[in-house]
Amino acid sequence: MLMSSLNYEQVGNFRKDLALAYKTLGVVFGGLVTSPLYVYPSMNLSSPTKDDYMGLYSIMFWTLTLIGVVKYVGIALNADDHGEGGTFAMYSLLCRHADIGILPSKKVYSEEEPLLQNQSARAGRPSWLGKFFERSITARRALLFMAILGMCMLIGDGILTPAISVLSAIQGLRGPFPSVSNAVVEVLSAVILIGLFLLQKYGTSKVSFLFSPIMAAWTFTTPIIGLYSIVHYYPGIFKAISPHYIVRFFLRNKKEGWRMLGGTVLCITGAEAMFADLGHFSKKSIQIAFLSSIYPSLILTYAGQTAYLINNVNDFSDGFYKFVPRPVYWPMFIIATLAAIVASQSLISATFSVIKQSVVLDYFPRVKVVHTSQHKEGEVYSPETNYILMVLCVSVILGFGAGNAIGNAFGVVVIMVMLITTIMLTLVMIIIWRTPPVLVALYFVPFFIMEGSYVSAVFTKIPEGGWLPFAVSIILALVMFGWYYGRQRKMEYEMANKVTVERLTELLARPEVQRVPGLCFFYSNIQDGLTPILGHYIKNMSSLHAVTVFVTLRYLLVAKVDERERILVRRLGPNGVYGCTVQYGYADSLGNGDLAAQVTSSLRRHFETTTEAGEEEAASLEAARMTGVVHVRGKMRFYVGDDAGWFDKVMLGFYEFLHGICRSALPALGTPLQQRVEIGMLYKV
């Protein structure tokens, strides 16, 4: 009986994984599975031969096998952080298993609460590499910058995937209608993308049910055409699986063959999404989808394309549509266009998600983030991000045109993310998994050499269009690092000048200080003590509300915080003064509901568990709430003096600029505009 129930449960779990695997087609693999549209057209081929095509297919086969199957499916998917994937998830995982993080939530806050003790517990003694990072602040900053750069490269992916996918799909119009100019193709592609970006504010829930069927149609029709092409043009194409064709390719083409790696790397574009989108699906569902459909589909599609090109060596500039048989040309054009739009949507949504996580972790200037679905927590929309992406995507199409410059730019983004993932995954193996050195070397050396070769090749494309994503990513990384540096210096000052509970009692005991009616939520960035702005406020206002709650928003390096641990309240020394810590993970929603109402409810529950005085406190709280609620937030600004170092002058000046143009944090908390008060204070560096 037990065996039958276990079998029934296993069958149920397998069916659930299959259903999730089907859904991943429309979300996770859009960029990867549409790559045949632009790989061959992006290559700088000059008088290619049959042997050249055999070598190129061999390179693509082994790239998909080693990076896609071995690295991502076999290894990287196991380096998740509470179900979340991506470079920053690996960074947070490393921070919790060794003292190598320099995030404020790791340095400033105490670890008295059970939640932080459980989530930040180290796995035994740190390894030799962990000790090195603990000793070197330079190494820790380099690791942080690498994680940030990985996120920024994913945002660059969100700019280029819509541009190259839609443009490559619409190029199909020029096959039956050669009179259609490149300018018409570019304008039509730009119009489609503008329409797609304008629809983002409505969310994708209403049309997302179409995503998986569209991508399934694409995934299963392209390999069928590939098989037809193999049989019809060159049945011996799978001889190219032998690695000796790669050796012959490089011996024959030498430097030019190395430069062509910048085009072949595009065959693996979107593989990083397998890991980055792990939080939306299960590991097993992604593995099932990739191994059962995506990988075979790509291998057969590229084989079919290559078989066609072996017999039509000069058709590489339109390598996808030329190998599509005429009877199914228009159905494939429609499917390709829809698949390109879905792939674009997947990367746009991933960009919104990355921006949201960065804002929640306080690593990016605050922008508006809206949840477009009541049922899907991860479905978010950022107006500022959306319109900047739209302008950049359209500029890429109209600026680079239908040449291979976009492919050059795309290659830089793709391989940089993969190389960063390889390095960070090696750190996870050594510091957390304690993998034997021989196995670490067997992973790191081959992948570092292979991806390093790709990086060296795509860097030669920087003058030919590859500069764009590199420049965008570096600018975004500098913005995030500058924002972080300013927030860190601000927090260090607050910790050095914090107001203790004893000092607050002394301030309130002064005869000129009055307790005025009402409920005040006073927002602070520190927990072990109170913000220096409080002393500034009391001295200038000579008052404090009858009930004052000091609220600290605490962003933890975890994906999600349990609802029971979300709001922690406690009494402070003076009468009517309370402390409250609101804890969020980087995948949690910050503005989910009225925060003030949630804190008030937590205080009432806290009073119920205490002595008889709790009833009086509950009555005082209710009376204060009925009188009026005010939300006070300090706005500390830096005054950079002439005696400050050049680094501080540049970085803090940059931070002040960013701080001046970004949104306030209070609107994200659901606080009414008429209840907000900001107190300014200057801090001399």
Side-chain angles (χ1 to χ4, degrees):
M1 188 72 179
L2 181 61
M3 285 295 292
S4 63
S5 72
L6 283 174
N7 289 335
Y8 181 77
E9 184 178 349
Q10 289 172 348
V11 170
N13 290 336
F14 182 68
R15 286 178 178 172
K16 184 179 178 181
D17 287 331
L18 279 180
L20 281 175
Y22 172 69
K23 291 179 180 179
T24 63
L25 297 179
V27 178
V28 177
F29 297 109
L32 179 59
V33 81
T34 54
S35 59
L37 282 169
Y38 45 78
V39 171
Y40 273 116
S42 298
M43 293 184 189
N44 291 317
L45 299 178
S46 177
S47 302
T49 64
K50 170 189 169 182
D51 288 340
D52 289 335
Y53 284 120
M54 294 290 278
L56 289 170
Y57 179 69
S58 189
I59 292 171
M60 288 191 283
F61 173 85
W62 286 108
T63 299
L64 285 165
T65 302
L66 293 175
I67 295 181
V69 177
V70 178
K71 176 183 169 180
Y72 278 101
V73 172
I75 302 173
L77 290 179
N78 295 303
D80 66 297
D81 174 33
H82 295 272
E84 295 286 331
T87 56
F88 213 89
M90 279 196 289
Y91 176 75
S92 69
L93 196 65
L94 288 165
C95 288
R96 288 207 316 279
H97 287 80
D99 189 17
I100 62 177
I102 49 178
L103 281 172
S105 57
K106 290 283 290 180
K107 283 188 68 175
V108 175
Y109 300 137
S110 69
E111 299 192 0
E112 296 174 356
E113 291 88 347
L115 174 71
L116 199 59
Q117 287 181 344
N118 292 337
Q119 307 237 26
S120 301
R122 300 183 193 174
R125 296 176 60 189
S127 65
W128 63 270
L129 190 58
K131 291 178 181 177
F132 166 74
F133 276 100
E134 289 174 4
R135 289 193 303 266
S136 173
I137 185 65
T138 303
R140 283 185 281 164
R141 284 177 177 169
L143 180 63
L144 171 63
F145 190 79
M146 189 188 302
I148 288 175
L149 188 60
M151 282 202 299
C152 294
M153 287 288 177
L154 188 62
I155 296 171
D157 207 350
I159 297 170
L160 293 172
T161 294
I164 196 170
S165 299
V166 173
L167 188 61
S168 300
I170 300 302
Q171 279 285 341
L173 285 174
R174 301 195 65 204
F177 305 109
S179 59
V180 175
S181 66
N182 279 332
V184 172
V185 171
E186 292 164 19
V187 170
L188 187 56
S189 302
V191 169
I192 290 173
L193 281 178
I194 289 172
L196 181 63
F197 279 107
L198 292 179
L199 291 173
Q200 293 302 309
K201 63 182 178 181
Y202 300 107
T204 57
S205 293
K206 295 178 182 177
V207 293
S208 60
F209 70 95
L210 293 172
F211 290 176
S212 293
I214 289 170
M215 298 313 297
W218 171 265
T219 303
F220 295 113
T221 53
T222 51
I224 292 173
I225 296 174
L227 284 171
Y228 166 81
S229 184
I230 292 167
V231 173
H232 190 69
Y233 293 108
Y234 191 69
I237 183 64
F238 289 112
K239 292 186 297 184
I241 291 175
S242 172
H244 90 275
Y245 281 93
I246 299 176
V247 177
R248 286 172 54 185
F249 175 80
F250 286 116
L251 289 175
R252 187 171 56 256
N253 291 283
K254 299 182 175 63
K255 184 178 179 180
E256 194 57 36
W258 164 70
R259 286 174 59 86
M260 276 190 268
L261 286 175
T264 56
V265 72
L266 297 181
C267 74
I268 198 68
T269 54
E272 68 277 8
M274 275 193 284
F275 189 33
D277 289 335
L278 184 57
H280 299 284
F281 300 94
S282 68
K283 179 178 73 174
K284 189 173 289 185
S285 65
I286 291 176
Q287 290 172 329
I288 290 172
F290 183 80
L291 295 175
S292 66
S293 60
I294 303 301
Y295 177 70
S297 174
L298 289 171
I299 295 299
L300 290 172
T301 302
Y302 283 122
Q305 280 184 280
T306 309
Y308 169 82
L309 290 171
I310 285 173
N311 282 268
N312 302 270
V313 292
N314 293 316
D315 284 350
F316 58 87
S317 61
D318 193 11
F320 178 76
Y321 283 111
K322 285 289 179 67
F323 102 110
V324 175
R326 288 296 159 189
V328 295
Y329 188 92
W330 287 112
M332 283 306 300
F333 173 78
I334 294 170
I335 293 173
T337 304
L338 292 174
I341 292 172
V342 173
S344 303
Q345 176 62 58
S346 300
L347 266 296
I348 293 168
S349 300
T351 303
F352 290 155
S353 180
V354 167
I355 292 292
K356 177 224 172 185
Q357 291 181 9
S358 303
V359 170
V360 167
L361 271 172
D362 211 6
Y363 263 77
F364 198 80
R366 289 180 292 270
V367 295
K368 186 176 182 180
V369 176
V370 180
H371 285 258
T372 56
S373 173
Q374 297 179 348
H375 309 292
K376 295 182 180 179
E377 187 178 1
E379 191 175 303
V380 294
Y381 163 71
S382 171
E384 295 99 329
T385 306
N386 184 62
Y387 294 118
I388 290 172
L389 279 179
M390 181 178 75
V391 170
L392 288 173
C393 280
V394 173
S395 300
V396 165
I397 287 178
L398 300 181
F400 287 144
N404 54 19
I406 300 180
N408 295 337
F410 206 9
V412 174
V413 171
V414 171
I415 199 59
M416 283 298 292
V417 173
M418 292 182 178
L419 185 61
I420 289 171
T421 301
T422 292
I423 294 170
M424 297 195 73
L425 194 53
T426 303
L427 296 178
V428 169
M429 288 179 173
I430 296 171
I431 295 173
I432 302 174
W433 295 348
R434 306 298 172 91
T435 307
V438 174
L439 294 180
V440 174
L442 283 175
Y443 164 75
F444 179 74
V445 173
F447 282 103
F448 187 79
I449 292 173
M450 179 168 62
E451 291 170 352
S453 301
Y454 272 128
V455 167
S456 65
V458 298
F459 266 45
T460 64
K461 309 291 186 182
I462 285 182
E464 303 167 14
W467 59 268
L468 176 69
F470 199 73
V472 169
S473 300
I474 290 294
I475 290 170
L476 283 171
L478 289 174
V479 166
M480 294 175 77
F481 197 79
W483 181 262
Y484 155 76
Y485 185 78
R487 302 297 285 179
Q488 181 72 6
R489 287 296 301 270
K490 178 174 174 250
M491 210 160 283
E492 287 173 356
Y493 172 81
E494 288 188 322
M495 285 302 296
N497 298 274
K498 64 186 179 183
V499 176
T500 62
V501 174
E502 293 76 15
R503 176 61 178 158
L504 175 61
T505 304
E506 292 175 9
L507 289 171
L508 294 179
R510 293 181 177 180
E512 68 272 16
V513 177
Q514 304 295 319
R515 301 295 295 273
V516 297
L519 171 61
C520 172
F521 291 94
F522 205 114
Y523 293 87
S524 171
N525 287 325
I526 59 176
Q527 181 170 323
D528 295 334
L530 303 170
T531 174
I533 294 176
L534 173 62
H536 179 69
Y537 175 79
I538 294 176
K539 287 177 183 177
N540 286 276
M541 303 298 292
S542 298
S543 65
L544 191 68
H545 284 76
V547 178
T548 302
V549 183
F550 292 97
V551 180
T552 300
L553 302 178
R554 188 184 201 182
Y555 307 112
L556 299 180
L557 277 173
V558 294
K560 295 179 184 294
V561 175
D562 190 278
E563 287 291 338
R564 294 169 296 181
E565 305 285 356
R566 174 65 53 84
I567 297 177
L568 307 175
V569 295
R570 64 195 182 283
R571 287 184 179 85
L572 297 180
N575 184 39
V577 180
Y578 307 95
C580 171
T581 303
V582 182
Q583 304 188 120
Y584 284 88
Y586 58 77
D588 281 321
S589 172
L590 184 61
N592 188 16
D594 186 352
L595 181 63
Q598 295 176 40
V599 173
T600 305
S601 298
S602 296
L603 278 171
R604 290 196 192 99
R605 288 194 296 271
H606 181 68
F607 296 152
E608 290 171 2
T609 61
T610 57
T611 58
E612 294 179 1
E615 296 181 8
E616 298 178 12
E617 289 178 295
S620 299
L621 175 65
E622 184 61 24
R625 190 185 68 82
M626 296 299 293
T627 302
V629 179
V630 64
H631 297 263
V632 177
R633 188 174 187 89
K635 198 165 187 178
M636 186 180 293
R637 307 300 297 267
F638 290 106
Y639 174 74
V640 184
D642 294 334
D643 54 341
W646 69 268
F647 187 77
D648 277 343
K649 286 182 179 179
V650 173
M651 296 302 291
L652 296 181
F654 184 46
Y655 168 77
E656 282 298 303
F657 168 74
L658 294 173
H659 195 271
I661 62 173
C662 77
R663 291 176 178 265
S664 169
L666 286 180
L669 304 176
T671 56
L673 183 63
Q674 64 272 20
Q675 294 180 1
R676 300 177 203 160
V677 175
E678 287 192 346
I679 307 296
M681 181 178 175
L682 277 178
Y683 154 45
K684 185 177 185 302
V685 179

